[in-house]
Amino acid sequence: MLVVAGTLTVIGWLMQHLADQGLIANGAYGIATLVAGLPIIFKAISALRARVMSIELLVSIAVVGAVAILEFEEAAMVTFLFAFGNFLEQRTLQKTHQAIQNLMEMQPTTATMVVDGQYQEVEIDEVDEGAVLVVRVGDQVPVDGEIISGSAEVDEALITGESKLVDKTTGDQAYMGSIVENGQILVQAQKVGEDTTFGKIIELVEEAQDNQAPMSKFIDRFAKYYTPFVLVVAILILLFTKNLRLAITILVLACPGALVIGAPVSNVAGIGRGAKAEILIKGGDVIDQLAQVDTILFDKTGTVTEGRPTVKSIKEYQEDHWLALAADLEKQTNHPLARSIVEYYEKRGQKTTADFNLPITTIKGIGIQSEYQGQTIWIGSRRVLTENQIELTTQQARDLQVIESDGQSVVLMTVDQKLVLMMGLVDQVRKGVKETFEKLKQSGIDKQWMLTGDNSFIAEKIAKTIGINQVKAQMLPEEKALFLEQLQNDGRHVLFVGDGINDSPSIAKANVGIAMGNGTDVAIETSDVVLIDSDFSNIQNARRVAKATMRNTMQNVGIAIGTVALLLIGVAYGWVNMASGMLFHEISILVVIFNAMRLLRMKF
């Protein structure tokens, strides 16, 4: 339709100005006006039914008026250029949505299911939880699940951002979208479709397109009142000057098309640039808030550290099977330290954990509690001692001091108020953390706090390593959230970074919550920003995107308002007519769109 309208408009102009065929020219202009103008009029009518006076209403009235005064050329030019502006806007939005389109294309569409010992190829939608699938060399893993047989080298770059191959074997997790480069595995489906890690990535990118920033909402409200204001001004001009052409010209040129699309196109471009860097920003509201943050709070384990600690020290104070019991209880939790203890036990004993079939109770910020043969078992942090009023022997106190002085995280196991097991675990600080905090400080985030449930000695040692001097240790999840709220009450705009279920209250309460991509589902779902590749430096990059997007939006607003003002001045002095004014108007829309597209090329 746009091509037809444009072609007819060109034909009309040629017939009128070069061939002196006014009748043919007006016919071409009239058909072009109908082709390009009817969709605009229908949009205006739909808006009126919703009791909204839209920009399309201004254009529709202007076009009808131009036809009424037999200015067919102006009517055709107005409708074509307005339609062309909408087309360019949609093309830009489509380009910024390329990240999600690419993700959708990367999804596996089929899977090879094992049924009664036979391989059966099925559509991905037919795979349910519990199904067993074979994944061979070159195949994509079609689900999130556990490898129950075989081993392989797997490329997980799509999920983790890491380009190196990962060795996978029985008991390891496999993720949808990863590719088997060497070997063959059987995977039992645990999550399928939208519930997979890859599915959630796509869902988050989709959600990121929906929310409007405060600037967008302001512009929507502006347009709502601006349209009737312009209509009133045009009517007054008509009443006082009796010049219908001037009134219609005012209606057309006052349409702030560039203003209406300025904020949305900047936001979508900013979100698209973030997605390309594995940063998922959930909407325009987040961009606005992220640009304003001046305080950062962050968890330690799994956030500034890798979250893959290993057992370095172990002290057993009773000759018994307590380590086996500890491993069995810890395998029921998803805490990084718990997984490390299970792995240590299995490697040391070269056997899997025993199955004691004991239920556990998770105590936030402390650990787990269970009952075994009439005895009360606690496994957790130093708080286990104070919670149960346990006094350490001289040797135990010395062991604890040595382990903690080495910067190890301590896990204690008590049985009926007696310490039976002490383990020290070490975790590596993520690459680039110190540099990121320095850059954040330089960019205006001058308050930086580490909040952790670990003991103060270990927390201080990690803080010193990453260049942070404000630490709060041995904090429960609710204490973290309360501290965050106190900072907000003091007027601070707080960014919280975490990865675990215990971080989710603070992630949700913060002005902006950031979750590491390898964190828990709860943390990811409650966050505003997800770092898919868990690259800590992307915190700074996310803020750069937000600030650049806000600057870009303000530039677009300035371009739009300035264009309208100049055109109206031009009309007042007779320098601009309807057709030339509409051309400049659409040029301003082009400028706004191209300005927003610069965000897609932003370098880190």
Side-chain angles (χ1 to χ4, degrees), residues 208-507:
Q209 317 301 324
D210 297 335
N211 296 331
Q212 280 189 308
M215 179 60 71
S216 298
K217 295 174 183 176
F218 163 76
I219 291 172
D220 285 347
R221 290 195 301 269
F222 174 85
K224 179 180 176 182
Y225 295 106
Y226 180 76
T227 296
F229 169 76
V230 172
L231 287 174
V232 170
V233 170
I235 292 171
L236 291 175
I237 288 175
L238 178 62
L239 291 176
F240 283 100
T241 65
K242 310 299 182 183
N243 188 335
L244 180 60
R245 183 183 180 85
L246 178 60
I248 293 172
T249 302
I250 293 294
L251 284 176
V252 173
L253 301 187
C255 299
L259 180 65
V260 172
I261 72 167
V265 78
S266 293
N267 283 330
V268 176
I271 290 168
R273 179 62 187 95
K276 286 171 63 178
E278 305 291 330
I279 304 167
L280 297 186
I281 302 172
K282 300 183 184 180
D285 278 329
V286 178
I287 288 176
D288 181 70
Q289 290 292 331
L290 187 54
Q292 298 182 56
V293 294
D294 54 21
T295 302
I296 181 171
L297 310 181
F298 54 93
D299 178 46
K300 178 178 73 67
T301 305
T303 302
V304 297
T305 65
E306 293 285 354
R308 295 191 298 271
T310 56
V311 176
K312 183 178 181 181
S313 306
I314 185 165
K315 302 291 182 181
E316 297 178 81
Y317 299 107
Q318 289 187 12
E319 295 292 334
D320 214 325
H321 57 284
W322 297 122
L323 179 59
L325 179 61
D328 179 69
L329 295 174
E330 291 283 35
K331 75 180 181 182
Q332 300 182 52
T333 77
N334 62 358
H335 194 282
L337 298 183
R339 293 194 297 269
S340 301
I341 292 170
V342 174
E343 290 173 3
Y344 172 79
Y345 171 78
E346 293 179 343
K347 288 179 181 178
R348 190 177 88 158
Q350 294 185 339
K351 57 185 178 182
T352 58
T353 57
D355 192 356
F356 291 89
N357 293 317
L358 298 177
I360 66 170
T361 301
T362 301
I363 312 299
K364 287 184 179 181
I366 300 176
I368 59 175
Q369 186 267 332
S370 185
E371 297 291 329
Y372 173 67
Q373 295 182 352
Q375 299 171 301
T376 301
I377 311 294
W378 282 80
I379 304 176
S381 66
R382 233 179 189 272
R383 283 176 173 260
V384 167
L385 302 177
T386 55
E387 188 74 15
N388 294 280
Q389 300 179 340
I390 296 174
E391 294 290 336
L392 299 181
T393 66
T394 303
Q395 183 60 47
Q396 290 171 344
R398 187 179 298 115
D399 291 341
L400 181 60
Q401 182 180 12
V402 170
I403 289 175
E404 289 184 338
S405 64
D406 189 43
Q408 301 175 42
S409 297
V410 177
V411 176
L412 306 175
M413 180 178 185
T414 67
V415 179
D416 279 348
Q417 295 187 305
K418 291 183 180 179
L419 181 64
V420 299
L421 196 62
M422 181 185 300
M423 290 169 282
L425 298 91
V426 293
D427 196 1
Q428 298 298 316
V429 173
R430 290 183 187 274
K431 182 180 178 181
V433 169
K434 184 174 182 179
E435 293 78 8
T436 298
F437 280 122
E438 183 59 36
K439 290 177 182 177
L440 288 171
K441 185 177 293 183
Q442 292 172 1
S443 70
I445 304 183
D446 55 345
K447 296 292 183 182
Q448 302 177 347
W449 292 83
M450 182 167 76
L451 311 182
T452 177
D454 213 338
N455 71 72
S456 57
F457 185 87
I458 294 173
E460 292 285 354
K461 187 166 184 176
I462 294 291
K464 185 176 181 181
T465 301
I466 62 178
I468 298 297
N469 56 18
Q470 298 181 104
V471 179
K472 284 189 173 291
Q474 296 179 285
M475 295 190 78
L476 295 172
E478 54 267 33
E479 293 173 334
K480 293 181 182 180
L482 181 60
F483 178 69
L484 186 154
E485 190 173 357
Q486 290 171 347
L487 289 173
Q488 289 176 322
N489 291 338
D490 291 338
R492 311 293 296 191
H493 286 78
V494 183
L495 167 66
F496 187 92
V497 188
D499 74 310
I501 293 175
N502 63 323
D503 297 322
S504 56
S506 297
I507 289 175

Side-chain angles (χ1 to χ4, degrees), residues 48 52 65 116 129 155 162 180 206 385 448 455 490 493 495 513 516 569 574:
L48 280 175
V52 175
D116 297 328
E129 292 180 16
D155 179 0
E162 295 292 334
V180 173
E206 288 174 333
L385 302 177
Q448 302 177 347
N455 71 72
D490 291 338
H493 286 78
L495 167 66
M516 310 303 284
I569 291 172

Side-chain angles (χ1 to χ4, degrees), residues 133-135 141 147 149-152 154 168 174 180 183-187:
L133 310 167
V134 61
V135 189
V141 179
I147 299 174
S149 177
S151 61
V154 180
K168 295 282 185 175
V180 173
Q184 179 173 305
I185 52 178
L186 288 180
V187 179

Side-chain angles (χ1 to χ4, degrees), residues 167-200:
D167 291 324
K168 295 282 185 175
T169 188
T170 302
D172 291 339
Q173 288 290 308
Y175 299 101
M176 178 183 182
S178 53
I179 302 172
V180 173
E181 298 288 351
N182 185 27
Q184 179 173 305
I185 52 178
L186 288 180
V187 179
Q188 185 169 38
Q190 295 174 328
K191 295 179 180 179
V192 298
E194 294 180 354
D195 293 330
T196 63
T197 302
F198 191 72
K200 288 188 179 297

